[in-house]
Amino acid sequence: MTTHYFSETPTGPEHRKQVEVEVWGRPFTLTTANGVFAGDGLDRGTEVLLRESAPPTGNPTVLDLGCGYGPVALGIALACPDARVDAVDVNERALALCRDNAVALGVRKRVRALRPEQVEPGRTYDEIWSNPPIRIGKEALHALLLTWLPRLAPGGTARLVVSKNLGADTLQRWLVEQGYGCTRAASSKGFRVLVVTPRVAA
């Protein structure tokens, strides 16, 4: 059976390695492994998301949804010293890597690597960042977004990067139909960066 990066427990022995990344002008080393998304280094979508977005400022509470081994969560923690980041994933191997990377980079106290059910029910976020797992299918993706986007605090924003070929424009229309504000902030290398704002009360 093929193991997907969105599997909870990847099969087979873990083989770790180091990759060099650069986020907002800051180079650092991350430990990755087989069985996690983009284990060979930053994928193109995440590169576009980070390049086309400014890092958070102030002391925000941030969610990295589908964190993998942590490049977005850890990049935010390093760029914004007062940010507190929840790095959420279903892949246990990815979460272990994210925790180890947070320790190695000295941000362990500000980055929590969690399974979805470990997040407090009432917790809200000033910012949500995500390269969402489009390949889980439309129904599952919609359920995922309808679970987490309501956690945006008033005035908060979510930044999603989605491949144009995998339905970015359709997703944007669907989000608007659900009552969310959704604008295209950037388009690069076949990817769209969508900025989502909370539902407006009727």
Side-chain angles (χ1 to χ4, degrees), residues 11-29:
T11 57
E14 178 180 286
H15 302 290
R16 291 193 170 198
K17 63 181 177 181
Q18 319 264 263
V19 296
E20 302 295 324
V21 302
E22 183 174 316
V23 178
W24 294 308
R26 182 192 296 265
F28 52 94
T29 301

Side-chain angles (χ1 to χ4, degrees), residues 105-185:
L105 293 170
V107 295
R108 176 181 60 84
K109 292 183 179 180
R110 295 189 294 110
V111 177
R112 303 192 305 170
L114 304 168
R115 290 183 53 80
E117 65 271 17
Q118 293 176 312
V119 179
E120 301 87 343
R123 190 165 177 82
T124 60
Y125 297 96
D126 302 303
E127 299 190 24
I128 296 174
W129 292 63
S130 186
N131 182 350
I134 299 298
R135 296 184 187 278
I136 62 176
K138 183 182 291 186
E139 185 175 337
L141 175 67
H142 287 177
L144 178 74
L145 294 176
L146 290 177
T147 296
W148 293 98
L149 289 178
R151 289 176 175 265
L152 276 175
T157 58
R159 305 187 73 87
L160 314 176
V161 64
V162 183
S163 167
K164 179 182 177 182
N165 290 338
L166 293 178
D169 296 339
T170 301
L171 181 63
Q172 181 178 2
R173 288 193 296 272
W174 177 81
L175 286 166
V176 172
E177 290 168 359
Q178 305 312 303
Y180 290 95
C182 186
T183 59
R184 186 191 308 166

Side-chain angles (χ1 to χ4, degrees), residues 24 26 55-62 73-85 105-111:
W24 294 308
R26 182 192 296 265
T57 57
N59 58 345
T61 301
V62 181
L74 299 168
I76 288 172
L78 290 170
C80 184
D82 291 322
R84 294 195 169 271
V85 186
L105 293 170
V107 295
R108 176 181 60 84
K109 292 183 179 180
R110 295 189 294 110
V111 177

Side-chain angles (χ1 to χ4, degrees), residues 2-122:
T2 301
T3 298
H4 298 284
Y5 63 84
F6 44 82
S7 300
E8 293 189 12
T9 307
T11 57
E14 178 180 286
H15 302 290
R16 291 193 170 198
K17 63 181 177 181
Q18 319 264 263
V19 296
E20 302 295 324
V21 302
E22 183 174 316
V23 178
W24 294 308
R26 182 192 296 265
F28 52 94
T29 301
L30 294 175
T31 300
T32 74
N34 55 308
V36 302
F37 178 62
D40 292 325
L42 279 187
D43 64 288
R44 187 173 296 177
T46 300
E47 286 180 346
V48 170
L49 175 64
L50 293 168
R51 187 178 66 247
E52 300 294 339
S53 306
T57 57
N59 58 345
T61 301
V62 181
L63 168 65
D64 176 7
L65 180 59
C67 64
Y69 55 89
V72 174
L74 299 168
I76 288 172
L78 290 170
C80 184
D82 291 322
R84 294 195 169 271
V85 186
D86 283 353
V88 172
D89 209 299
V90 298
N91 186 313
E92 295 285 3
R93 184 175 294 175
L95 290 172
L97 288 163
C98 185
R99 292 185 191 105
D100 289 350
N101 285 324
V103 170
L105 293 170
V107 295
R108 176 181 60 84
K109 292 183 179 180
R110 295 189 294 110
V111 177
R112 303 192 305 170
L114 304 168
R115 290 183 53 80
E117 65 271 17
Q118 293 176 312
V119 179
E120 301 87 343

